[in-house]
Amino acid sequence: MNATAALGGYLLCRARPDLKALSLFAGVALMACAASAFNQVLERDLDAIMERTNRRPIASGELGVRGGLSIAVGALATGALLLNLIGLSPLCLAIFTLCWYLLLYTPLKRRTPLALLVGAVCGALPPLIGWSAAGGALTDFRIVLLCGILYLWQVPHFWMLQKKHAEDYRRAGVPLFVPGSFRGPAPFLVLWLVAMIAATLMLPVFGLIAGQHAPLWCLAFCLPLLLYPFERWEGAAFAGVNIFPALLTLALYGSP
Ligand code: HEM
Ligand SMILES: CC(C)=CCC/C(C)=C/CC/C(C)=C/COP(=O)(O)OP(=O)(O)O
């Protein structure tokens, strides 16, 4: 999904999907795999406690730490090679994203619920990697908007997951980012969802998505967020929120 988000940044720069896009997709996917493998080595103690993660190869003991590290290094080397083929900027941005995730977010996650806001930087950077691979200027407002939307999106994405696995996180002693700790669940949550919807509606306003299907895309983006606060629609909201990055990339691809 991170590679799909990177492809979205590439397509936004009006570069049609080509061999370079394939190298970008494979390179970011491998770098994200490396990030996850290193993360699973670093979090093998937490992963072994949580129902959600205790079947993972290192947490379950199926794979040793050295095996996990060799997979991580292999994925990192191959991903870096592929990204280097398309440019120094995408390679440097991917390495920065990897380091931010492993050296900042992963340790912070055990200490503060606000680690989520730090971690969301990692997930907001893949579109910038794709955009830079297509030759876009890093300060262009269009990619800043796309990355900003993906930053905002990760908070409701994770809130729903941590709600689903709250007991697991408590058992593992991972502090939860519960909107309720900010003077009641509704205001803080609603404020974030409104900001997310407003930012998403900037996409057609600034021409990032256009054409006759633009209103339909906006409906597909915003409906799960509008359903989010209602328990009975939780399943639909969860699915809709989780496929958002893929829908966004499709909308960018389909935009004239
Ligand atoms: C702060 C950033 C993020 C956090 C804390 C986070 C956390 C998580 C967690 C804990 C899961 C459950 C994994 C499992 O089932 O064991 C998950 C699943 C998932 N994440 Fe994220 N994630 C983040 C960013 C992203 C980004 C950037 C993307 C896509 C570009 C993404 C896409 C997904 C998807 C598609 C799933 C599968 C959901 C499901 O059906 O269970 N996440 N995420
Ligand atoms: C180019 C590149 C390196 C891209 C990767 C970007 C990336 C790692 C995005 C995911 C961000 C994130 C905080 C995931 C949750 O990790 P977690 O440790 O909370 O999840 P877990 O509990 O399931 O392990």
Side-chain angles (χ1 to χ4, degrees):
M1 198 62 111
N2 279 298
T4 304
L7 188 61
Y10 188 86
L11 296 173
L12 176 62
C13 199
R14 291 285 176 264
R16 302 323 294 162
D18 51 18
L19 214 55
K20 208 170 163 185
L22 197 62
S23 198
L24 166 81
F25 189 89
V28 170
L30 281 163
M31 293 293 271
C33 289
S36 175
F38 280 118
N39 171 273
Q40 291 187 37
V41 170
L42 294 169
E43 291 190 338
R44 58 192 184 279
D45 56 331
L46 293 183
D47 284 354
I49 299 170
M50 297 173 77
E51 280 299 310
R52 175 178 64 85
T53 52
N54 62 16
R55 290 178 303 284
R56 289 178 173 176
I58 300 172
S60 64
E62 197 184 326
L63 192 66
V65 167
R66 283 174 55 196
L69 287 174
S70 62
I71 289 173
V73 170
L76 173 57
T78 320
L81 270 175
L82 282 167
L83 290 178
N84 189 45
L85 286 178
I86 51 179
L88 190 60
S89 174
L91 173 62
C92 294
L93 284 167
I95 291 170
F96 174 80
T97 307
L98 185 84
C99 294
W100 187 280
Y101 178 58
L102 297 173
L103 306 178
L104 256 184
Y105 167 73
T106 302
L108 271 176
K109 174 181 159 185
R110 296 170 186 258
R111 291 170 177 78
T112 167
L114 296 181
L116 169 60
L117 301 179
V118 172
V121 170
C122 312
L125 288 175
L128 187 63
I129 297 171
W131 172 271
S132 72
L138 300 189
T139 52
D140 187 305
F141 83 91
R142 289 170 296 171
I143 194 58
V144 173
L145 175 60
L146 187 62
C147 293
I149 289 171
L150 211 58
Y151 181 88
L152 289 173
W153 166 81
Q154 290 168 87
V155 176
H157 159 64
F158 181 61
W159 268 342
M160 297 182 89
L161 281 154
Q162 77 169 10
K163 187 176 171 200
K164 196 173 160 191
H165 303 288
E167 228 3 82
D168 241 354
Y169 278 106
R170 277 195 198 95
R171 197 177 318 118
V174 176
L176 292 182
F177 184 79
V178 183
S181 51
F182 287 78
R183 289 184 301 287
F188 190 80
L189 183 94
V190 171
L191 198 68
W192 200 280
L193 292 174
V194 167
M196 172 80 205
I197 289 170
T200 306
L201 294 177
M202 291 298 112
L203 288 166
V205 169
F206 287 102
L208 277 73
I209 58 171
Q212 58 179 13
H213 301 306
L216 284 178
W217 284 119
C218 289
L219 186 67
F221 298 152
C222 297
L223 193 59
L225 297 167
L226 293 168
L227 294 176
Y228 186 109
F230 305 101
E231 287 286 323
R232 66 183 298 234
W233 296 103
E234 197 158 320
F238 182 74
V241 164
N242 283 330
I243 60 168
F244 174 72
L247 289 183
L248 192 49
T249 297
L250 265 179
L252 291 167
Y253 176 67
S255 224

